[in-house]
Amino acid sequence: MANYCLSCSSTADLSKEHFHKRNIQYICFHFELGGKEYLDDLGESVPPETMYRMMSEGADTKTSQITIGEYEEYFEKILQNGQDILHLCLSSGISGTYNSACVASRSLAEKYPARKIYIVDSLAASSGFGLLMETLADMRDAGMDIDKLHDWIEDNKLKLQHWFFSTDLTFYIKGGRISKASGFIGTVLSICPLLNVNFEGRLIPREKIRTKKKVIERIVEQMEQNAQDGTQYTGKCFISQSACIDDAKAVASLIESRFPNLSGNVQIFPIGATIGSHTGPGTVALFFWGKERTD
């Protein structure tokens, strides 16, 4: 067994059971829903279906990142257990949590000079972040030490492809990512924006596609064009979704029919409270290993 801790935040959007099974530790973000504060604890405090229903009914949401003090307390418990740490943070392109984790680690490095604390900006989000952690867990379990694993993820993290679409523009408009005028026109014309995460870890609109059927087809085409080895891709594929499980299943079904060499079935997870507070319901996100993100 590895003598180090593989760690991330709850924004990796896997299930509690999945994290436990893969021996990955996590620390929780925070969010507000309808004026009440909660931990983003993988749906234990507020199940995803409840959150998205309340958002659809008009409840306001707000998110807050992990503080330096919370990171210090979390990391110290691991260090006191005699383990080194490899911790991945939610993309710096959408959150400042990476800086907080770095400050905390520098403080603890003075107190625990014999221990290694690696902090990595994942440049990833949601279950794409989760697929990074899943891959690291596979490599750790195969015997890779913490130094080589840290070097590997820094060299390869931009090869994790993220593609998203949304069939409900309400919260993109509310959050200012789409103007009210564009959102109104888009809704009338049944436009579903297709987005991806770029090399800076930022969410970037790429295409405007009319109708759900066409955007489902298009997101799978993006996987055909960008996956490692194209349709002969042999890696894992994750999907996350916000209150649109049927759309996610439609994408998964297409992928499984066109990528015969996948490592297992496509796995589908709920988009958690932190990311979901900004997307709202109606978002499907697709993640796989492929070409390096360069723009």
Side-chain angles (χ1 to χ4, degrees), residues 33 133 144 166 173 188 203 213 295:
L33 178 65
M133 299 308 301
M144 186 174 288
S166 183
I173 298 168
V188 170
L203 191 60
K213 181 179 180 180
D295 64 354

Side-chain angles (χ1 to χ4, degrees), residues 239 241 244-256 268 284:
I239 288 174
Q241 55 81 32
C244 52
I245 187 64
D246 289 341
D247 295 341
K249 287 180 177 179
V251 174
S253 178
L254 267 183
I255 289 169
E256 289 173 357
I268 301 175
V284 173

Side-chain angles (χ1 to χ4, degrees), residues 38-282:
Y38 302 94
L39 278 178
D40 179 3
D41 53 7
L42 311 176
E44 286 192 89
S45 295
V46 182
E49 58 271 19
T50 300
M51 175 181 142
Y52 292 120
R53 175 182 56 77
M54 291 178 66
M55 291 179 73
S56 295
E57 293 171 353
D60 289 329
T61 58
K62 183 180 178 181
T63 60
S64 58
Q65 65 189 36
I66 302 157
T67 67
I68 295 171
E70 287 174 315
Y71 268 125
E72 287 181 346
E73 181 179 357
Y74 170 73
F75 290 151
E76 187 155 28
K77 288 180 180 178
I78 298 169
L79 295 169
Q80 288 175 342
N81 195 40
Q83 290 183 296
D84 296 329
I85 300 170
L86 176 57
H87 178 82
L88 272 69
C89 297
L90 177 64
S91 173
S92 62
I94 57 178
S95 171
T97 189
Y98 171 67
N99 291 328
S100 298
C102 287
V103 172
S105 70
R106 287 194 293 268
S107 173
L108 290 168
E110 297 177 4
K111 189 174 180 180
Y112 298 88
R115 298 261 63 92
K116 297 174 182 178
I117 311 173
Y118 287 123
I119 307 297
V120 176
D121 180 358
S122 72
L123 299 176
S126 192
S127 299
F129 186 4
L131 184 50
L132 279 181
M133 299 308 301
E134 175 86 352
T135 304
L136 292 178
D138 287 341
M139 300 175 96
R140 175 205 60 198
D141 294 349
M144 186 174 288
D145 67 37
I146 190 172
D147 301 309
K148 290 181 180 178
L149 195 59
H150 169 254
D151 291 344
W152 187 90
I153 193 60
E154 289 288 16
D155 290 342
N156 289 277
K157 61 189 178 183
L158 285 176
K159 296 176 184 176
L160 201 291
Q161 290 271 328
H162 301 55
W163 290 90
F164 301 72
F165 71 78
S166 183
T167 58
D168 184 343
L169 304 181
T170 303
F171 290 88
Y172 289 84
I173 298 168
K174 192 172 183 178
R177 286 174 292 278
I178 296 176
S179 69
K180 290 183 178 180
S182 295
F184 174 76
I185 294 170
T187 300
V188 170
L189 297 178
S190 299
I191 290 176
C192 303
L194 181 66
L195 312 92
N196 79 343
V197 172
N198 74 352
F199 71 103
E200 297 176 314
R202 300 178 184 276
L203 191 60
I204 305 296
R206 296 298 186 183
E207 300 179 42
K208 297 177 181 178
I209 299 173
R210 289 191 66 180
T211 76
K212 181 192 300 185
K213 181 179 180 180
K214 289 181 180 178
V215 79
I216 287 173
E217 174 67 30
R218 183 60 180 143
I219 200 170
V220 177
E221 289 175 356
Q222 288 291 353
M223 184 169 174
E224 291 175 330
Q225 294 167 14
N226 291 289
Q228 189 176 52
D229 299 320
T231 56
Q232 299 307 305
Y233 178 64
T234 58
K236 296 180 182 180
C237 178
F238 284 4
I239 288 174
S240 58
Q241 55 81 32
S242 54
C244 52
I245 187 64
D246 289 341
D247 295 341
K249 287 180 177 179
V251 174
S253 178
L254 267 183
I255 289 169
E256 289 173 357
S257 69
R258 297 185 188 179
F259 293 82
N261 300 317
L262 281 176
S263 176
N265 294 329
V266 176
Q267 297 189 60
I268 301 175
F269 301 93
I271 294 177
T274 298
I275 305 299
S277 291
H278 301 284
T279 67

